[in-house]
Amino acid sequence: MDYRYRIFKAFLKFRGLKCTPERRRILDAVFSLEGHFDVEELYGLLREKRSGISRATIYRTIPLLIESGMIREALRCRKNVRYEHIFGHKHHDHMVCVGCGKVIEFKDDKIEELQDRMCRLYGFTPIEHRLGIRGYCKKCSGLAKRSVSRGKRAVNT
Amino acid sequence: MDYRYRIFKAFLKFRGLKCTPERRRILDAVFSLEGHFDVEELYGLLREKRSGISRATIYRTIPLLIESGMIREALRCRKNVRYEHIFGHKHHDHMVCVGCGKVIEFKDDKIEELQDRMCRLYGFTPIEHRLGIRGYCKKCSGLAKRSVSRGKRAVNT
DNA sequence: CTCGATGCAAACAGTTTGCACGATT
DNA sequence: AATCGTGCAAACTGTTTGCATCGAG
């Protein structure tokens, strides 16, 4: 189903940009990945598929995918920026386990609603929001204290 | 008041680290800044004060300040990581205006509570959470649509 | 036919690291 | 005295950019 491609194409046209096979391949690759991905993984996948696409093109395409609503930044850990496709999915937030790196996706309508209320209170028009919780998942919470105490870099959201 | 210094010192001792004048000066500088700051600003301030402190030392000290609960990452926009001191302050979240860069700090107890509930639901033990909302502040929301349409990099949270 | 898009490699910016020296415990 | 911390400069890493070429509209 290339419904999303049609949308992306419309976005490109609207912006006066061209619709190239590279862009299409990147779009497809992104949606062929199930979870979160970073540029390097995407590059690797495209390389596997022998679609000779350069990193530069990927870097240049990502903002377009974001602006067209296809993907968004999911989370960051130091220099590692990870994305996820959102087109056609419902919004969710993340819990990231500092112990094992596990990512739990969750959503709470009440929280969303309260955020909107907050925005209204401040006369703020939201485009996007991101909620990330760092901590320990069920498995890791036993070992918790110990593993933090001897300073290593924490995982971020 | 060097209450925080006492705490920081205790943290260092606990970690078997030394308590150097550089670390102290950095701590002081951080708390002498009112708002958000990045490494470069901190470096500039320290340089102004003629405390000959290198960037390297700042980079090496920041994780210590974070782990000791003195500061936290406040927000990020591309490569720019900004911190804020949190020791002695109450927690808050951010709204960032994509138009003018304005940052609104807010807090909603109900949201916090619902987050904790979510964590309990997933057996997750939270350490920290971060909620950021991107959008347009009151002033900018009039011009909104127009300014996004011709693709520039969006400000992140 | 005309711009925008691509690949490549060089340039960048923020951050990290190896080393020799100096300071804290 | 034994480490740990510091400054410096070099190294790194992820990302961006200039340029010549290619191709979509």
Coordinates of all heavy atoms in Angstrom, one line a residue, chain C:
Chain C
dC1 P 17.2 21.6 -25.7 OP1 17.1 22.5 -26.8 OP2 18.3 20.7 -25.5 O5' 17.0 22.5 -24.3 C5' 16.1 23.5 -24.4 C4' 15.6 23.9 -23.0 O4' 15.0 22.7 -22.3 C3' 16.7 24.4 -22.0 O3' 16.2 25.4 -21.2 C2' 17.0 23.1 -21.2 C1' 15.7 22.5 -21.1 N1 15.6 21.0 -20.8 C2 14.7 20.6 -19.9 O2 14.0 21.4 -19.3 N3 14.6 19.2 -19.7 C4 15.4 18.4 -20.4 N4 15.2 17.1 -20.1 C5 16.3 18.8 -21.3 C6 16.4 20.2 -21.5
dT2 P 17.2 26.4 -20.5 OP1 17.0 27.8 -21.0 OP2 18.6 25.8 -20.6 O5' 16.7 26.3 -19.0 C5' 15.3 26.2 -18.8 C4' 15.0 25.8 -17.4 O4' 15.0 24.3 -17.3 C3' 16.1 26.3 -16.4 O3' 15.4 26.7 -15.3 C2' 16.9 25.0 -16.1 C1' 15.9 23.9 -16.3 N1 16.5 22.6 -16.7 C2 15.8 21.5 -16.2 O2 14.9 21.5 -15.4 N3 16.3 20.3 -16.7 C4 17.4 20.1 -17.5 O4 17.7 19.0 -17.9 C5 18.0 21.3 -18.0 C7 19.2 21.3 -18.9 C6 17.5 22.5 -17.6
dC3 P 16.1 28.0 -14.5 OP1 15.3 29.2 -14.8 OP2 17.5 28.0 -14.6 O5' 15.8 27.6 -12.9 C5' 16.4 26.5 -12.5 C4' 15.5 25.6 -11.7 O4' 15.5 24.3 -12.3 C3' 16.0 25.4 -10.3 O3' 14.9 25.1 -9.5 C2' 17.0 24.3 -10.5 C1' 16.4 23.4 -11.6 N1 17.4 22.9 -12.6 C2 17.3 21.6 -12.9 O2 16.4 20.9 -12.5 N3 18.3 21.1 -13.8 C4 19.2 21.8 -14.2 N4 20.1 21.3 -15.1 C5 19.3 23.2 -13.9 C6 18.4 23.7 -13.0
dG4 P 15.2 25.4 -7.9 OP1 14.0 26.0 -7.4 OP2 16.5 25.9 -7.8 O5' 15.2 23.9 -7.4 C5' 14.0 23.1 -7.5 C4' 14.4 21.6 -7.4 O4' 15.3 21.3 -8.5 C3' 15.1 21.3 -6.1 O3' 14.5 20.1 -5.6 C2' 16.5 21.1 -6.5 C1' 16.4 20.6 -7.9 N9 17.6 20.9 -8.7 C8 18.2 22.1 -9.0 N7 19.2 22.0 -9.8 C5 19.3 20.7 -10.1 C6 20.2 20.0 -11.0 O6 21.1 20.5 -11.6 N1 19.9 18.7 -11.1 C2 18.9 18.0 -10.4 N2 18.7 16.7 -10.6 N3 18.0 18.7 -9.6 C4 18.3 20.0 -9.5
dA5 P 15.2 19.2 -4.5 OP1 14.1 18.4 -3.9 OP2 16.0 20.1 -3.8 O5' 16.1 18.2 -5.4 C5' 15.5 17.1 -6.1 C4' 16.4 16.0 -6.2 O4' 17.5 16.3 -7.0 C3' 16.9 15.5 -4.8 O3' 17.0 14.1 -4.8 C2' 18.3 16.2 -4.8 C1' 18.7 16.2 -6.2 N9 19.5 17.3 -6.6 C8 19.3 18.7 -6.3 N7 20.2 19.5 -6.9 C5 21.0 18.6 -7.6 C6 22.2 18.8 -8.4 N6 22.7 20.0 -8.6 N1 22.8 17.8 -9.0 C2 22.2 16.6 -8.8 N3 21.2 16.2 -8.0 C4 20.6 17.3 -7.5
dT6 P 17.7 13.3 -3.7 OP1 17.0 12.1 -3.5 OP2 17.9 14.3 -2.6 O5' 19.1 13.0 -4.3 C5' 19.2 12.1 -5.4 C4' 20.6 11.8 -5.8 O4' 21.3 13.0 -6.3 C3' 21.4 11.3 -4.6 O3' 22.0 10.0 -4.9 C2' 22.5 12.3 -4.4 C1' 22.5 13.1 -5.7 N1 22.8 14.5 -5.5 C2 23.9 15.1 -6.3 O2 24.6 14.4 -7.0 N3 24.0 16.4 -6.1 C4 23.3 17.3 -5.3 O4 23.6 18.5 -5.2 C5 22.2 16.6 -4.5 C7 21.4 17.5 -3.6 C6 22.0 15.3 -4.7
dG7 P 22.7 9.1 -3.8 OP1 22.4 7.7 -4.1 OP2 22.3 9.7 -2.5 O5' 24.2 9.4 -4.1 C5' 24.7 9.1 -5.4 C4' 26.2 9.4 -5.4 O4' 26.4 10.8 -5.4 C3' 27.0 8.9 -4.2 O3' 28.2 8.3 -4.7 C2' 27.2 10.1 -3.3 C1' 27.2 11.2 -4.4 N9 26.7 12.5 -3.9 C8 25.6 12.7 -3.1 N7 25.3 13.9 -2.8 C5 26.2 14.6 -3.6 C6 26.4 16.1 -3.8 O6 25.8 17.0 -3.3 N1 27.5 16.3 -4.6 C2 28.3 15.4 -5.2 N2 29.3 15.9 -6.0 N3 28.1 14.1 -5.1 C4 27.1 13.8 -4.2
dC8 P 29.2 7.5 -3.8 OP1 29.7 6.3 -4.6 OP2 28.5 7.2 -2.5 O5' 30.4 8.5 -3.6 C5' 30.9 9.1 -4.7 C4' 31.8 10.3 -4.3 O4' 31.0 11.4 -4.0 C3' 32.6 10.0 -3.0 O3' 34.0 10.0 -3.3 C2' 32.2 11.1 -2.0 C1' 31.5 12.2 -2.9 N1 30.4 12.9 -2.3 C2 30.3 14.3 -2.5 O2 31.2 14.8 -3.2 N3 29.4 15.0 -1.9 C4 28.5 14.4 -1.1 N4 27.5 15.1 -0.5 C5 28.5 12.9 -0.9 C6 29.5 12.3 -1.5
dA9 P 35.0 9.5 -2.1 OP1 36.0 8.6 -2.7 OP2 34.3 9.1 -0.9 O5' 35.7 10.9 -1.8 C5' 35.7 12.0 -2.8 C4' 35.9 13.3 -2.0 O4' 34.6 13.8 -1.5 C3' 36.8 13.2 -0.8 O3' 37.6 14.3 -0.8 C2' 35.9 13.1 0.3 C1' 34.8 14.0 -0.1 N9 33.4 13.8 0.5 C8 33.0 12.5 0.9 N7 31.8 12.6 1.5 C5 31.4 14.0 1.3 C6 30.3 14.7 1.7 N6 29.2 14.1 2.2 N1 30.3 16.0 1.4 C2 31.4 16.6 0.8 N3 32.5 16.0 0.4 C4 32.5 14.7 0.7
dA10 P 38.8 14.4 0.3 OP1 40.0 14.2 -0.4 OP2 38.5 13.6 1.5 O5' 38.7 16.0 0.8 C5' 38.2 16.9 -0.1 C4' 37.5 18.0 0.7 O4' 36.2 17.5 1.1 C3' 38.2 18.4 1.9 O3' 38.2 19.8 2.1 C2' 37.4 17.7 3.0 C1' 36.0 17.7 2.5 N9 35.1 16.7 3.0 C8 35.4 15.4 3.2 N7 34.4 14.7 3.7 C5 33.4 15.7 3.9 C6 32.0 15.6 4.4 N6 31.5 14.5 4.8 N1 31.3 16.7 4.4 C2 31.9 17.8 3.9 N3 33.1 18.0 3.5 C4 33.8 16.9 3.5
dA11 P 38.7 20.5 3.4 OP1 39.3 21.8 3.0 OP2 39.4 19.6 4.2 O5' 37.3 20.9 4.1 C5' 36.3 21.7 3.5 C4' 35.3 22.0 4.5 O4' 34.5 20.8 4.8 C3' 35.8 22.6 5.8 O3' 34.9 23.7 6.1 C2' 35.7 21.5 6.8 C1' 34.5 20.7 6.2 N9 34.4 19.3 6.5 C8 35.4 18.3 6.4 N7 35.1 17.1 6.7 C5 33.8 17.2 7.1 C6 32.8 16.3 7.5 N6 33.1 15.0 7.7 N1 31.6 16.8 7.8 C2 31.3 18.1 7.7 N3 32.1 19.0 7.3 C4 33.3 18.5 7.0
dC12 P 35.3 24.8 7.3 OP1 35.0 26.1 6.7 OP2 36.6 24.4 7.8 O5' 34.2 24.4 8.4 C5' 33.6 23.2 8.3 C4' 32.4 23.1 9.2 O4' 32.1 21.8 9.4 C3' 32.8 23.6 10.6 O3' 31.8 24.4 11.2 C2' 33.2 22.4 11.4 C1' 32.3 21.3 10.7 N1 32.9 19.9 10.6 C2 32.2 18.8 10.9 O2 31.0 19.0 11.3 N3 32.7 17.6 10.8 C4 34.0 17.5 10.4 N4 34.5 16.3 10.3 C5 34.8 18.6 10.1 C6 34.2 19.8 10.2
dA13 P 31.9 25.1 12.6 OP1 31.1 26.4 12.5 OP2 33.4 25.2 12.9 O5' 31.2 24.2 13.6 C5' 29.9 23.7 13.3 C4' 29.4 23.0 14.6 O4' 30.0 21.6 14.5 C3' 30.0 23.6 15.8 O3' 28.9 23.5 16.8 C2' 31.2 22.8 16.2 C1' 30.9 21.4 15.6 N9 32.1 20.7 15.1 C8 33.2 21.3 14.7 N7 34.1 20.4 14.2 C5 33.4 19.2 14.4 C6 33.8 17.9 14.2 N6 35.0 17.5 13.6 N1 32.9 16.9 14.4 C2 31.7 17.2 15.0 N3 31.3 18.5 15.2 C4 32.2 19.4 14.9
dG14 P 29.2 24.1 18.3 OP1 28.1 25.0 18.6 OP2 30.6 24.6 18.4 O5' 29.0 22.7 19.1 C5' 28.0 21.8 18.8 C4' 28.3 20.5 19.4 O4' 29.4 19.9 18.8 C3' 28.7 20.6 20.9 O3' 28.0 19.6 21.6 C2' 30.2 20.4 20.9 C1' 30.4 19.5 19.7 N9 31.7 19.6 19.0 C8 32.4 20.8 18.8 N7 33.6 20.5 18.2 C5 33.6 19.1 18.1 C6 34.6 18.3 17.5 O6 35.7 18.6 17.0 N1 34.3 17.0 17.6 C2 33.1 16.5 18.2 N2 33.0 15.2 18.2 N3 32.2 17.2 18.7 C4 32.5 18.6 18.6
dT15 P 28.2 19.4 23.2 OP1 27.0 18.8 23.7 OP2 28.7 20.7 23.7 O5' 29.3 18.3 23.2 C5' 29.0 17.1 22.6 C4' 30.2 16.2 22.7 O4' 31.3 16.7 21.9 C3' 30.8 15.9 24.1 O3' 30.6 14.5 24.3 C2' 32.2 16.4 24.0 C1' 32.5 16.3 22.5 N1 33.6 17.2 22.0 C2 34.7 16.6 21.4 O2 34.7 15.4 21.2 N3 35.6 17.4 20.9 C4 35.6 18.8 21.0 O4 36.5 19.5 20.6 C5 34.5 19.4 21.7 C7 34.4 20.9 21.9 C6 33.5 18.5 22.2
dT16 P 31.1 13.9 25.7 OP1 30.2 12.7 25.9 OP2 31.3 14.9 26.7 O5' 32.5 13.3 25.2 C5' 32.5 12.5 24.0 C4' 33.9 11.9 23.8 O4' 34.8 13.0 23.3 C3' 34.6 11.3 25.1 O3' 35.1 10.1 24.7 C2' 35.7 12.4 25.4 C1' 36.0 12.9 24.0 N1 36.5 14.3 24.0 C2 37.6 14.6 23.3 O2 38.3 13.7 22.7 N3 38.0 15.9 23.2 C4 37.4 17.0 23.9 O4 37.8 18.1 23.7 C5 36.2 16.6 24.6 C7 35.5 17.7 25.3 C6 35.8 15.3 24.7
dT17 P 35.9 9.2 25.7 OP1 35.6 7.8 25.3 OP2 35.7 9.6 27.1 O5' 37.4 9.5 25.4 C5' 37.9 9.5 24.0 C4' 39.4 9.6 24.0 O4' 39.7 11.0 23.9 C3' 40.1 9.0 25.1 O3' 41.3 8.4 24.6 C2' 40.4 10.2 26.0 C1' 40.6 11.3 25.0 N1 40.3 12.7 25.4 C2 41.0 13.7 24.9 O2 42.0 13.6 24.1 N3 40.7 15.0 25.3 C4 39.6 15.3 26.1 O4 39.4 16.5 26.4 C5 38.9 14.2 26.7 C7 37.8 14.4 27.6 C6 39.3 12.9 26.3
dG18 P 42.2 7.4 25.5 OP1 42.0 6.1 24.9 OP2 41.8 7.6 26.9 O5' 43.7 7.9 25.3 C5' 44.1 8.3 24.0 C4' 45.5 8.9 24.0 O4' 45.4 10.3 24.3 C3' 46.4 8.3 25.1 O3' 47.7 8.3 24.6 C2' 46.2 9.2 26.3 C1' 45.9 10.6 25.6 N9 44.9 11.4 26.3 C8 43.8 11.0 27.0 N7 43.1 12.0 27.5 C5 43.8 13.1 27.1 C6 43.6 14.5 27.3 O6 42.6 15.0 27.9 N1 44.5 15.3 26.8 C2 45.7 14.9 26.1 N2 46.5 15.8 25.7 N3 45.9 13.6 25.9 C4 45.0 12.8 26.4
dC19 P 48.9 7.8 25.5 OP1 49.9 7.2 24.6 OP2 48.4 6.9 26.7 O5' 49.5 9.1 26.1 C5' 49.7 10.2 25.2 C4' 50.3 11.4 26.0 O4' 49.2 12.2 26.5 C3' 51.1 11.0 27.2 O3' 52.4 11.7 27.1 C2' 50.3 11.4 28.4 C1' 49.5 12.5 27.8 N1 48.2 12.7 28.5 C2 47.7 14.0 28.8 O2 48.4 15.0 28.4 N3 46.5 14.1 29.4 C4 45.8 13.1 29.8 N4 44.6 13.3 30.4 C5 46.3 11.7 29.6 C6 47.5 11.6 28.9
dA20 P 53.6 11.2 28.1 OP1 54.8 11.0 27.1 OP2 53.2 10.2 29.0 O5' 53.9 12.6 28.9 C5' 54.0 13.8 28.2 C4' 53.8 15.0 29.1 O4' 52.5 15.0 29.6 C3' 54.7 14.8 30.4 O3' 55.3 16.1 30.7 C2' 53.8 14.2 31.4 C1' 52.5 14.9 31.1 N9 51.3 14.2 31.5 C8 51.1 12.8 31.6 N7 49.9 12.5 32.0 C5 49.2 13.7 32.1 C6 47.9 14.0 32.5 N6 47.0 13.1 32.8 N1 47.6 15.3 32.6 C2 48.5 16.2 32.3 N3 49.8 16.1 31.9 C4 50.1 14.7 31.8
dC21 P 56.1 16.3 32.1 OP1 57.3 17.1 31.7 OP2 56.4 15.0 32.7 O5' 55.2 17.2 33.0 C5' 54.5 18.3 32.4 C4' 53.5 18.8 33.4 O4' 52.4 17.9 33.5 C3' 54.1 19.1 34.8 O3' 53.6 20.3 35.2 C2' 53.5 17.9 35.6 C1' 52.1 17.7 34.9 N1 51.5 16.3 35.1 C2 50.2 16.3 35.4 O2 49.5 17.3 35.6 N3 49.6 15.0 35.5 C4 50.3 13.9 35.3 N4 49.7 12.8 35.5 C5 51.7 14.0 35.0 C6 52.3 15.2 34.9
dG22 P 54.1 20.9 36.7 OP1 54.5 22.3 36.5 OP2 55.0 19.9 37.3 O5' 52.8 20.9 37.5 C5' 51.6 21.5 37.0 C4' 50.4 21.3 37.9 O4' 50.0 19.9 37.9 C3' 50.8 21.6 39.4 O3' 49.8 22.4 40.0 C2' 51.0 20.2 40.0 C1' 50.0 19.4 39.2 N9 50.3 18.0 39.1 C8 51.6 17.5 38.7 N7 51.5 16.2 38.6 C5 50.2 15.8 38.9 C6 49.6 14.5 39.0 O6 50.1 13.4 38.8 N1 48.3 14.6 39.4 C2 47.6 15.8 39.6 N2 46.3 15.7 40.0 N3 48.2 17.0 39.6 C4 49.5 16.9 39.2
dA23 P 49.7 22.7 41.5 OP1 49.2 24.1 41.6 OP2 51.0 22.4 42.1 O5' 48.6 21.8 42.0 C5' 47.3 21.8 41.4 C4' 46.4 20.9 42.2 O4' 46.7 19.5 42.0 C3' 46.4 21.2 43.7 O3' 45.1 20.9 44.1 C2' 47.4 20.2 44.2 C1' 47.1 19.0 43.3 N9 48.1 18.0 43.1 C8 49.5 18.3 42.9 N7 50.2 17.2 42.6 C5 49.3 16.2 42.7 C6 49.4 14.8 42.5 N6 50.5 14.2 42.2 N1 48.3 14.1 42.7 C2 47.1 14.7 43.0 N3 46.9 16.0 43.1 C4 48.0 16.7 43.0
dT24 P 44.6 21.3 45.6 OP1 43.6 22.3 45.4 OP2 45.8 21.6 46.4 O5' 43.9 20.0 46.1 C5' 42.8 19.4 45.3 C4' 42.5 18.0 45.8 O4' 43.6 17.2 45.6 C3' 42.2 17.9 47.3 O3' 41.1 17.0 47.5 C2' 43.5 17.4 47.9 C1' 44.0 16.5 46.8 N1 45.5 16.3 46.7 C2 46.0 15.1 46.5 O2 45.3 14.1 46.4 N3 47.3 15.0 46.4 C4 48.3 16.0 46.5 O4 49.5 15.8 46.4 C5 47.7 17.3 46.7 C7 48.5 18.5 46.9 C6 46.3 17.4 46.8
dT25 P 40.4 16.9 48.9 OP1 38.9 16.8 48.7 OP2 40.9 18.0 49.8 O5' 40.9 15.5 49.5 C5' 40.6 14.4 48.7 C4' 41.4 13.2 49.3 O4' 42.8 13.4 49.0 C3' 41.3 13.0 50.8 O3' 41.1 11.6 51.0 C2' 42.6 13.5 51.3 C1' 43.6 13.1 50.1 N1 44.8 13.9 50.0 C2 46.0 13.2 49.7 O2 46.0 12.0 49.5 N3 47.1 14.0 49.6 C4 47.2 15.3 49.8 O4 48.3 15.9 49.7 C5 45.9 16.0 50.2 C7 45.9 17.5 50.4 C6 44.8 15.2 50.3

